[in-house]
Amino acid sequence: MSQLGQPVRPAPRAAQNDPDQQFAFRPASKAGRKARLSIQGMSGSGKTWTGLSISHGLSEGRKFAVIDTERGAASLYAGHLGIQFDTLPMTRYDPRDLGRALDAAAQAGYPTVFVDSLSHFWKGTDGTLDQVEKAKAKYGGNKFAGWKDGTPIQNDMVAAILDYPGHVVCSMRSYTEWVLNGGKPERVGMRPEQRKGIEYEFDVAVAMDLDNRLEVLKSRCPGLNRKVIDRPNGARDIAAPLLAWLTTEPATDTPE
């Protein structure tokens, strides 16, 4: 009790347990925030070229890095329209190796990394699904139990993408289905070939169709919300508004 006979309110939990107040709240700010963007689409929709163009724009003309699982597809565009990048070809797709590749890119100081494509680290050789298949032997052939090993590997890969000190752009292949459109069969892209819900990890998620039309599926950047762009110029149409949003601080009220 206090001297006035009133109950003493306990000190805040952070003050009780942490003298450095690690749980102290601070004004919200985008300062230092880097872009996280995903591009999904079928083969031939323009994912690689659009991803390169966006990465070029985010890098503001500086050389960026490409982690290439598509057997050199990105390198076919080397030097096109002044876009310059270094590439790291990969033929096995352990998600932990993607984390190591991102660490190497960070050490080299690349402002942007383009992962083309993230789908291989899900269902390619040594990808997450392979890791689960291998792990099930430890659990009597129980594949469900194999996710005890697979889930942390997948989660660590996502954390490596989010923790990269620069911008990250990831392409993903789409599962495809044939549908009838006016009586004619048409191939359409469905969700990305990655773990369900992966798009929630990105600030901006876009999809591309076979007419090279880009649709923004999700955006934390108001300037890109619900945009539909035919034959996009990635640097101008996507990277520029994204950079403008990241570098503009919200207005603050000034006390009277």
Side-chain angles (χ1 to χ4, degrees):
M1 302 288 287
S2 70
Q3 291 181 346
L4 298 178
Q6 298 296 322
V8 177
R9 179 176 295 174
R13 186 178 298 273
Q16 291 177 4
N17 299 332
D18 189 345
D20 294 328
Q21 295 188 348
Q22 66 177 350
F23 300 112
F25 289 89
R26 296 175 178 82
S29 172
K30 296 195 297 287
R33 177 84 179 199
K34 302 298 182 180
R36 299 291 181 268
L37 181 142
S38 69
I39 308 170
Q40 67 186 67
M42 297 176 288
S43 176
S45 60
K47 299 186 300 298
T48 296
W49 168 244
T50 303
L52 290 171
S53 181
I54 293 171
S55 298
H56 175 67
L58 291 173
S59 302
E60 299 179 277
R62 291 172 290 167
K63 185 181 289 188
F64 58 94
V66 175
I67 297 173
D68 178 15
T69 71
E70 296 284 359
R71 300 191 178 276
S75 295
L76 297 175
Y77 298 102
H80 186 56
L81 298 181
I83 295 179
Q84 298 199 8
F85 55 91
D86 293 332
T87 183
L88 173 65
M90 300 186 74
T91 56
R92 304 187 77 84
Y93 314 110
D94 188 322
R96 291 165 291 196
D97 284 344
L98 178 56
R100 296 180 186 109
L102 288 167
D103 285 344
Q107 289 293 321
Y110 291 107
T112 306
V113 175
F114 176 32
V115 182
D116 188 36
S117 77
L118 193 61
S119 293
H120 288 82
F121 296 98
W122 174 248
K123 61 181 299 186
T125 303
D126 291 338
T128 298
L129 295 181
D130 253 11
Q131 300 297 333
V132 171
E133 190 69 22
K134 294 172 184 176
K136 75 179 185 180
K138 298 195 304 185
Y139 305 103
N142 186 332
K143 187 172 183 178
F144 182 79
W147 283 102
K148 292 180 181 179
D149 291 26
T151 295
I153 291 172
Q154 174 77 8
N155 290 346
D156 286 349
M157 180 194 73
V158 171
I161 292 171
L162 299 180
D163 290 343
Y164 187 74
H167 307 292
V168 180
V169 177
C170 297
S171 71
M172 292 183 284
R173 297 177 174 184
S174 291
Y175 290 104
T176 60
E177 288 187 5
W178 288 93
V179 298
L180 288 177
N181 183 6
K184 295 181 179 180
E186 179 179 328
R187 189 162 58 107
V188 298
M190 309 300 286
R191 69 178 184 85
E193 292 185 0
Q194 248 295 334
R195 189 162 197 178
K196 190 175 181 180
I198 188 70
E199 62 273 16
Y200 293 112
E201 307 295 345
F202 295 90
D203 299 319
V204 178
V206 308
M208 300 193 69
D209 65 19
L210 292 177
D211 292 321
N212 201 214
R213 180 183 296 111
L214 180 149
E215 178 184 359
V216 178
L217 303 177
K218 165 210 167 171
S219 177
R220 293 173 179 144
C221 170
L224 292 174
N225 191 46
R226 307 310 300 175
K227 287 275 190 178
V228 177
I229 307 168
D230 288 321
R231 300 185 178 279
N233 177 309
R236 180 193 64 212
D237 298 328
I238 304 297
L242 191 48
L243 283 177
W245 170 65
L246 288 170
T247 55
T248 302
E249 285 300 319
T252 57
D253 294 331
T254 303
E256 297 182 358

